[in-house]
Amino acid sequence: MENCVFCKILRKEIPSEIIYENKKVIAFKDLSPKAPVHLLVVPKKHIASVNDIKEEDKEIVGELFLAARNVAKIAGIQDEGYKLAINVGEGGGQEVFHLHVHLLGGWKNVKKL
Ligand code: AMP
Ligand code: ZN
């Protein structure tokens, strides 16, 4: 997808802080984090949203969740817990139309001011 920002990131055409990558999935830091840990877990195949997942994408969706679990471990928040969120469509708050899972966490060990 020519103009998709996440496709550009996975083609390394625009910079990002990549923290995990395998054959099917990439994960990088969200540009404007809404949590102490805020990563985006993204399939390398361009699928616009959950509404656009096809039967043939079943395996990719599984890979996406396994990668999210692995990334939580890498980020050191697997045991304390975290949130996975997927916004679907404009009404669901989706801004980038390339399927992605938000991995949010790290609140437990944040120092209170
Ligand atoms: P959503 O609203 O679910 O579509 O989430 C899109 C997310 O992508 C937002 O949290 C943005 O902060 C994030 N984002 C947009 N552009 C970039 C970028 N170039 N690098 C990293 N994160 C981005
Ligand atoms: Zn894309």
Side-chain angles (χ1 to χ4, degrees):
M1 278 293 184
E2 203 59 28
N3 289 317
C4 167
V5 64
F6 290 173
C7 283
K8 284 182 181 170
I9 285 175
L10 65 90
R11 289 196 301 259
K12 318 278 162 69
E13 288 171 11
I14 59 172
S16 67
E17 288 192 65
I18 296 168
I19 65 126
Y20 178 88
E21 185 168 10
N22 67 24
K23 267 174 82 174
K24 303 271 183 204
V25 179
I26 191 165
F28 49 87
K29 289 188 183 176
D30 194 290
L31 206 55
S32 31
K34 310 295 175 306
V37 174
H38 187 174
L39 304 169
L40 300 172
V41 189
V42 180
K44 289 187 173 176
K45 179 176 179 185
H46 181 94
I47 300 167
S49 82
V50 168
N51 285 340
D52 300 285
I53 295 170
K54 300 198 165 62
E55 276 296 305
E56 70 208 40
D57 298 322
K58 271 182 188 165
E59 200 182 324
I60 289 171
V61 174
E63 294 275 354
L64 192 61
F65 274 84
L66 287 172
R69 191 265 322 265
N70 293 342
V71 172
K73 186 167 188 185
I74 290 166
I77 57 170
Q78 189 178 51
D79 292 338
E80 70 183 53
Y82 51 90
K83 281 186 209 296
L84 297 179
I86 303 177
N87 298 326
V88 186
E90 251 180 86
Q94 187 174 5
E95 288 174 359
V96 176
F97 282 79
H98 180 136
L99 181 64
H100 54 281
V101 177
H102 294 260
L103 169 60
L104 300 142
W107 298 283
K108 226 182 152 187
N109 294 313
V110 173
K111 286 202 182 100
K112 292 201 173 73
L113 296 175

